[in-house]
Amino acid sequence: MSTRGNVAWKFPPKVVLVAVDFGDASARAAALAGAVATAFGARLSAIHAERFDPPPYFTLEQITRLEAERRLSETAAASHLAQFVAAATPWPVEARIADEPPVDAILHAAASADLIVVGTHGRSGPGRWWLGSVAERIVRGAAVPVLVTRAGGAAAPVGFDRIVLVGEGIEPASDGLLVAQGLADAFKGRVIPGGSVTRCQPDVMEGASLVVMEMGSSHAAWSITDPVAKVLGACERPVLFVPPHQQPATKN
């Protein structure tokens, strides 16, 4: 599914959505989401998705009992989610549990958000950079900017003092610059022009506290090419993918 359509995301963001699976990457994502929400006075929303599918051979009575147990479990899980995010950021958070597959749940929730923050474990193939399947599907499907931070490697910063702005085979223009400069102003940092990501120097990327990558109008067919993977693969810093500010309507 996709949230793409006649959507114009807002910057500065009014609502920041962080996806949580309770792993190390999620803790980093929560810290970054909290930092951005704090900087802009935005509402912070956290979501954890778990699909509940009772076995087909269960009786109606068994399903009813499991549903009641699940509702109690969801209440406890929401409390745990709020505590998990609170350990990463002091900014107030609204926590909710979704009974959907993770990607569907996150993209549904993103319909009322201006920024998605997600962690990735980077378990993709050698030519795929470090985007995991969930993170990559969110980047492909979301109509709003997506900030991805990876597990492992250097600790992700909670501030952005040196932001490298690059484009997907193009020179970044207004959308990427709008976001990059807004973050730089909020965190008292600066924007470093990086040109096309396929030509960007790896040492420039590695010295960044954040990489902002502006995607072209062909976002619906967007893919990570080998040259892009080679450059970004050495970068352990968070990457913010910025889609066109307003995209044409497409079918889900």
Side-chain angles (χ1 to χ4, degrees):
M1 64 140 326
S2 169
T3 63
R4 285 196 298 270
N6 286 319
V7 175
W9 43 265
K10 302 178 183 66
F11 194 88
K14 299 298 183 184
V15 180
V16 177
L17 174 69
V18 59
V20 174
D21 67 2
F22 301 111
D24 175 60
S26 286
R28 295 186 181 201
L32 289 176
V36 173
T38 301
F40 295 112
R43 180 162 59 89
L44 178 61
S45 177
I47 187 171
H48 173 70
E50 287 186 358
R51 183 65 176 173
F52 173 69
D53 289 313
Y57 54 81
F58 268 32
T59 66
L60 179 59
E61 181 181 353
Q62 288 174 314
I63 292 175
T64 301
R65 185 170 65 250
L66 282 176
E67 283 281 3
E69 293 174 355
R70 183 181 65 85
R71 284 192 291 272
L72 290 174
S73 178
E74 277 191 5
T75 300
S79 176
H80 179 57
L81 174 58
Q83 292 174 11
F84 181 89
V85 176
T89 174
W91 193 252
V93 61
E94 300 171 0
R96 73 181 185 90
I97 307 298
D99 181 15
E100 287 183 280
V103 174
D104 290 347
I106 294 164
L107 292 180
H108 279 144
S112 58
D114 302 305
L115 172 69
I116 305 171
V117 186
V118 63
T120 179
H121 300 285
R123 293 171 181 162
S124 51
R128 298 287 295 171
W129 183 42
W130 46 261
L131 276 179
S133 60
V134 171
E136 182 174 354
R137 289 170 64 191
I138 292 169
V139 170
R140 287 178 181 274
V144 302
V146 181
L147 174 56
V148 183
T149 183
R150 66 182 295 186
V158 294
F160 306 122
D161 58 350
R162 191 172 188 273
I163 300 173
V164 173
L165 175 62
V166 297
E168 182 200 357
I170 58 174
E171 292 294 328
S174 58
D175 294 332
L177 182 59
L178 168 72
V179 174
Q181 192 60 60
L183 286 168
D185 292 344
F187 288 93
K188 297 180 172 55
R190 60 192 179 111
V191 177
I192 309 296
S196 168
V197 69
T198 58
R199 299 193 302 271
C200 187
Q201 296 298 317
D203 58 336
V204 174
M205 303 288 283
E206 188 59 27
S209 56
L210 174 70
V211 176
V212 174
M213 180 172 175
E214 178 177 290
M215 295 182 287
S217 58
S218 60
H219 177 47
W222 180 78
S223 63
I224 302 174
T225 62
D226 286 341
V228 173
K230 182 178 180 181
V231 174
L232 293 182
C235 181
E236 295 185 344
R237 297 308 184 191
V239 178
L240 176 58
F241 295 90
V242 180
H245 187 253
Q246 185 159 349
Q247 303 174 37
T250 60
K251 293 182 180 179
N252 288 346

